[in-house]
Amino acid sequence: MAYFIFIAFGFVLAGCSWLKPRSAPYCGAIFFIYAVLFAGMRGASMDYDNYVSMYQDMTRASGGLWQRLHIGKDPLFGALIMLIQVLGLSSQWLFMVSAFVGLAFKAKSFQRVFGSIMTPLFALVCGSYFLHDYTQVRVAIALGFSFMALVELCEGRKSRWMVYSVIALGFHVSTFAIVAFELPLVFGVRYNLWMVVASLFALLCVAYIGNLLAIIANFDGRAANYEELGNVSDHMMIVAPVKLVGLGILTFLLVKGSVEEAKVRILKLSCLFAFVGYGFLMIFKDNASGFGFRIYELFDAFSVFIIADALLGRKLISWGIALGYCAGLLLLLMDSKLLLPYEFADMGLW
């Protein structure tokens, strides 16, 4: 029931912002606070106990600074845990702060691109919110900075792109894949064909390097954990291509005749990212599906820009496709194992 109320409330607020655009800033602020509290005050999720254990291990650790930071898996996330502990706050603040930081930078990117956050936040809830902001909080924070990096890159601010990308890497090393596929733009490749060619070439290189995970494991031992996981399910083999078709159609409809150059770049790159993510999924589906699926999810998160723009547009066909896309994502979410029975944290904030 808690999940239904949360999602339904988001839809109502989004509807209000569509009918009365002047209410959009207020609706967006209300839903942002709700989304932060909903994730930050939860007492259970798929990864909840792991993060609590991480916090407790950091409390008991007696090694040097680097050893303590390593407990947080990625250095900036370890630093975040240490900061919360220095302030004398409970482990629940780790979830509260993570939800706030991740959503705040995503909201900032939405404000920059669309001038509003309500509809993009609703699209995010239908898409990656429960997987990332609610569950995989390190990835959620990293994606917040990656979203901002994409915006800065598409607006031509390469130095800011670098700063946001480095911060994203500090929260989750997997965002290196995103950085790598943004490099053609950094080096001045603007033409659609060359971006596609560069991405295909990169994917072919990944496919050719058969022992890629073993190479990565030399730098990050966590990569080895993905080698023994099973194959991609038949369910995902059907869902992923259908999603790509929907995103491809929406991107075509949205960029056609658009005069906002930076937004067009973001939409095209977000669509390209979705296809790149699918490429990773197919490359690793038989020997390391866990790794392939993690990278797929990472790239697929950027599709929120496409869905949000379609929902904010006035073209009935793109609006209808986007709304149907969101409904489909919610049905898939309800059928997943992500949504444990909602319960408030019992340890308190202090």
Side-chain angles (χ1 to χ4, degrees):
M1 180 59 72
Y3 297 108
F4 174 79
I5 293 173
F6 174 63
I7 296 170
F9 187 61
F11 180 71
V12 170
L13 288 177
C16 289
S17 69
W18 299 335
L19 295 174
K20 295 185 178 181
R22 288 185 178 182
S23 68
Y26 307 104
C27 294
I30 292 170
F31 195 55
F32 174 81
I33 294 171
Y34 192 5
V36 170
L37 292 176
F38 193 82
M41 290 301 296
R42 74 190 185 279
S45 67
M46 294 293 289
D47 289 353
Y48 183 85
D49 292 337
N50 292 335
Y51 286 113
V52 172
S53 296
M54 193 182 293
Y55 180 94
Q56 294 170 345
D57 291 343
M58 184 79 78
T59 303
R60 294 188 293 264
S62 58
L65 176 62
W66 181 249
Q67 286 80 6
R68 297 189 68 196
L69 289 176
H70 188 67
I71 294 174
K73 303 293 186 180
D74 295 280
L76 288 185
F77 192 73
L80 178 62
I81 297 175
M82 291 178 64
L83 176 61
I84 291 172
Q85 292 179 340
V86 167
L87 294 175
L89 302 175
S90 73
S91 60
Q92 194 60 38
W93 276 99
L94 178 60
F95 300 97
M96 185 70 77
V97 173
S98 296
F100 176 80
V101 174
L103 288 171
F105 280 94
K106 289 172 184 174
K108 184 177 180 181
S109 71
F110 296 152
Q111 185 68 36
R112 287 273 295 275
V113 176
F114 304 110
S116 172
I117 68 171
M118 180 59 239
T119 296
L121 280 179
F122 174 69
L124 185 76
V125 166
C126 295
S128 63
Y129 171 85
F130 287 103
L131 177 63
H132 295 145
D133 302 276
Y134 190 79
T135 304
Q136 302 170 2
V137 299
R138 288 184 299 124
V139 178
I141 298 174
L143 276 172
F145 289 103
S146 293
F147 280 15
M148 281 302 304
L150 176 68
V151 174
E152 299 291 1
L153 180 60
C154 291
E155 292 182 356
R157 300 183 180 92
K158 297 178 182 179
S159 59
R160 294 187 183 182
W161 167 83
M162 182 177 295
V163 171
Y164 281 119
S165 295
V166 169
I167 297 174
L169 284 167
F171 277 104
H172 208 286
V173 71
S174 64
T175 54
F176 178 79
I178 296 170
V179 173
F181 279 86
E182 289 175 338
L183 285 178
L185 276 176
V186 177
F187 290 118
V189 175
R190 297 293 185 188
Y191 296 103
N192 300 336
L193 176 61
W194 285 113
M195 279 298 298
V196 173
V197 169
S199 298
L200 287 174
F201 178 75
L203 284 173
L204 287 173
C205 289
V206 171
Y208 181 76
I209 304 174
N211 60 341
L212 179 63
L213 279 185
I215 295 173
I216 296 174
N218 292 328
F219 304 94
D220 188 339
R222 289 171 289 175
N225 297 331
Y226 293 103
E227 290 184 320
E228 303 301 327
L229 296 181
N231 298 329
V232 177
S233 67
D234 293 338
H235 184 249
M236 177 53 61
M237 293 291 289
I238 296 173
V239 170
V242 172
K243 290 174 65 176
L244 285 180
V245 171
L247 292 173
I249 293 173
L250 282 177
T251 303
F252 174 78
L253 293 174
L254 294 172
V255 303
K256 187 179 180 181
S258 177
V259 296
E260 299 180 59
E261 185 177 350
K263 183 190 286 188
V264 167
R265 289 177 184 168
I266 291 172
L267 295 175
K268 288 182 177 179
L269 200 55
S270 297
C271 185
L272 180 62
F273 276 179
F275 279 85
V276 167
Y278 182 70
F280 271 96
L281 187 67
M282 291 297 99
I283 290 171
F284 292 99
K285 67 183 179 67
D286 293 323
N287 58 351
S289 63
F291 177 77
F293 189 65
R294 172 60 64 89
I295 301 300
Y296 167 76
E297 292 170 338
L298 198 66
F299 280 104
D300 186 63
F302 287 83
S303 63
V304 67
F305 289 102
I306 300 172
I307 302 304
D309 194 49
L311 291 174
L312 286 168
R314 297 184 178 181
K315 296 180 180 178
L316 183 60
I317 183 171
S318 57
W319 185 87
I321 293 173
L323 198 62
Y325 188 95
C326 288
L329 292 180
L330 289 175
L331 288 175
L332 292 173
L333 176 67
M334 298 305 171
D335 189 50
S336 72
K337 299 178 180 179
L338 276 178
L339 303 186
L340 302 180
Y342 190 86
E343 58 184 62
F344 286 105
D346 58 5
M347 64 183 68
L349 294 174
W350 308 102

